[in-house]
Amino acid sequence: MKLYIGFDDTDNIDADVGTGKLARRFEAELPDGCRLQGVVRQQLLVDERIPYTSHNSSACLIVEIPDVAVVATIREKAIRHIEQESLSGSDPGLCIAWGENGAFEPLMEFGRCCTERVVSQSEARQAARGIHLSGHGGTNDGIIGAAAAVGLTASGWSGRFIEFARLRELPAVVTVAELEKRGMSVVSMDRDAVSPRPDDRIDTKGWLRPRLLGHRAVVPVLPSGEGLWYTLWEKRGKKSHGR
C-alpha cells in the first residue's frame, strides 16, 4: 500500500536544513517493513501575498507500507520529527494520506489550486477531510503546502524527485542503462524521433532530479552529441522573501 507524507514550511532563510532535506531525513524514522519509493518536491505559487522562505516549495514522501496498522506509528514519528527538526520562525505543517482513504481527488484539486492562486488554511482543511493534517507552530500555514504536496504527488503528474534510488550517489555523467536499472525512465525531448540507447551517456550537470510523470520517475534529456545527452534543468540558488 502506498502512503504519502507531506511536509511544509519547516525552515528559515539561514537554515542549512530546508524542508526537502528534512523530508529526506525522515526515511531513517520509517518502521521496519516500510520502503521509501521517493521524495518529491512540489513548486507552489510564487506571489507577494504568500510568505515563504526561498521558492515556496513543499515536499512529499512516497512510502510503500505493509499494512495500515503502521500508519499510527508513522504519524507519531512524523509529528515528533517535524517538531524536533523545524526551525524558529517557521510555520510547519504535516499531511499524511494513504490509498484506502478514497479522498485523494479533493487534495489533488487543492494542490492544483495552490499552483494558481492564493489559498487559505480553511480550504486546506476542507480538502483534507478524513486525512491527517496538522500544524506544528507559528501560524500553522504549513498545512497548506503539506496538503498540496500530497495532492500533487498523488496525482502522479507534478513535481521532481529530490530522492529516488539513491540518486545522489551517481556521478555527474551516467549511462542510460544505469538510470533505468534504478527505475528511472530516460525520455528524449528532441523533435527528432531518436531515443537514448542503453550505452548512451547522460550529463546530469551534477544535479539529477527526475520528474514525476505518470507516477514514474522520468529524466527528460536533449542530445548533446553522438551517444551523449544532457538533462534539461540545473540547480538554482536561494532567494529570501517576506517572512
Side-chain angles (χ1 to χ4, degrees):
M1 180 182 299
K2 195 172 290 187
L3 182 79
Y4 298 92
I5 307 170
F7 291 98
D8 187 40
D9 206 355
T10 63
D11 56 353
N12 58 43
I13 193 59
D14 298 317
D16 292 327
V17 178
T19 298
K21 187 177 288 187
L22 180 144
R24 290 191 289 110
R25 287 182 175 179
F26 188 64
E27 179 182 9
E29 303 296 325
L30 293 175
D32 292 342
C34 299
R35 183 178 67 86
L36 179 71
Q37 292 186 345
V39 182
V40 181
R41 176 195 186 275
Q42 295 292 351
Q43 178 62 54
L44 308 179
L45 177 69
V46 175
D47 187 285
E48 290 296 325
R49 294 168 291 174
I50 301 173
Y52 58 86
T53 304
S54 57
H55 300 304
N56 196 26
S57 63
S58 52
C60 182
L61 289 84
I62 307 172
V63 180
E64 189 67 30
I65 61 173
D67 190 85
V68 175
V70 302
V71 173
T73 299
I74 290 175
R75 182 173 61 246
E76 292 170 5
K77 286 176 173 285
I79 291 172
R80 184 163 61 247
H81 182 70
I82 202 171
E83 291 182 343
Q84 289 177 347
E85 299 295 330
S86 57
L87 299 180
S88 174
S90 62
D91 308 309
L94 173 69
C95 183
I96 302 175
W98 62 96
E100 292 184 354
N101 275 357
F104 281 116
E105 194 56 45
L107 271 184
M108 292 178 190
E109 178 58 30
F110 176 74
R112 287 189 287 269
C113 288
C114 288
T115 68
E116 299 169 353
R117 62 175 176 84
V118 178
V119 299
S120 65
Q121 288 190 28
S122 62
E123 288 178 274
R125 294 190 185 95
Q126 179 67 24
R129 289 180 65 182
I131 290 171
H132 176 85
L133 183 64
S134 56
H136 297 276
T139 66
N140 292 326
D141 266 354
I143 67 172
I144 295 172
V150 170
L152 290 168
T153 302
S155 77
W157 289 97
S158 177
R160 66 171 184 253
F161 284 95
I162 55 176
E163 182 57 79
F164 186 90
R166 299 292 178 260
L167 55 80
R168 283 173 168 76
E169 298 174 357
L170 290 166
V173 178
V174 62
T175 65
V176 172
E178 177 62 30
L179 293 179
E180 291 182 342
K181 184 174 78 172
R182 294 183 181 229
M184 304 177 212
S185 300
V186 181
V187 177
S188 172
M189 297 288 104
D190 188 39
R191 63 188 296 172
D192 296 327
V194 177
S195 297
R197 297 164 297 189
D199 292 337
D200 284 356
R201 293 167 296 144
I202 308 295
D203 182 358
T204 69
K205 308 167 193 171
W207 196 74
L208 177 64
R209 298 293 185 271
R211 263 45 190 179
L212 175 61
L213 298 172
H215 295 280
R216 295 181 60 83
V218 176
V219 181
V221 296
L222 285 172
S224 181
E226 181 62 31
L228 182 64
W229 304 74
Y230 65 91
T231 53
L232 271 62
W233 295 278
E234 56 191 49
K235 188 176 178 62
R236 64 180 179 178
K238 281 188 177 182
K239 59 181 180 179
S240 62
H241 175 79
R243 281 196 178 281

